[in-house]
Amino acid sequence: MSVIQQNLEKLTVVAGVATAAVTSTATSSAIDLLEYDGDVMLILDSAAGTGSSPTLDIKITECDTTGGTYTDLSGATFTQVVDGASMQTLAINKDSAERFIKIVQTITGSTPSFTFSVNLIGVKKYG
């Protein structure tokens, strides 16, 4: 078995924010990075926003405990989505982040709506 196959077997995809039409600001559940090795990748897949002047801002926050006070993870912000579809990636070195992360989605505008998802892909330490 090749090295690539061995690593692909450990690859895990987690729905940080499941695909849905979202009309208001929200925060995801905590995602535990403990079992991952190295970088994890977050993928934002968004349709164009609807409504008047819609904006979608997504950032990642971090904390050492699942129920603690979360702070912004430095440099972990997607480019703002407005009236066009958007596919973006964001890599996080889990060894430089605290143990838990949350995905914070801020939606503004007049009757805004965005259909999007944010998925985390990473390699588990132990298969």
Side-chain angles (χ1 to χ4, degrees):
M1 185 179 294
S2 73
V3 172
I4 293 173
Q5 275 183 305
Q6 289 173 348
N7 286 333
L8 286 176
E9 290 173 356
K10 295 180 182 179
L11 195 65
T12 302
V13 178
V14 174
V17 177
T19 304
V22 180
T23 59
S24 61
T25 297
T27 301
S28 74
S29 298
I31 300 170
D32 190 349
L33 299 178
L34 183 65
E35 295 181 355
Y36 295 95
D37 194 23
D39 289 350
V40 295
M41 180 164 292
L42 294 164
I43 300 171
L44 166 63
D45 186 9
S46 176
T50 61
S52 180
S53 302
T55 64
L56 169 63
D57 292 289
I58 298 179
K59 66 181 179 179
I60 310 304
T61 58
E62 64 179 345
C63 187
D64 278 334
T65 60
T66 186
T69 301
Y70 284 74
T71 58
D72 293 353
L73 179 59
S74 179
T77 304
F78 287 101
T79 300
Q80 185 179 68
V81 180
V82 286
D83 56 4
S86 182
M87 171 77 80
Q88 301 178 42
T89 61
L90 182 65
I92 297 172
N93 183 310
K94 81 98 185 166
D95 296 325
S96 298
E98 294 182 25
R99 179 174 173 179
F100 296 94
I101 61 170
K102 288 186 178 182
I103 301 163
V104 179
Q105 315 126 61
T106 304
I107 295 178
T108 63
S110 179
T111 62
S113 180
F114 285 89
T115 299
F116 70 95
S117 65
V118 180
N119 295 297
L120 179 141
I121 299 176
V123 175
K124 294 271 185 145
K125 288 182 186 179
Y126 312 104

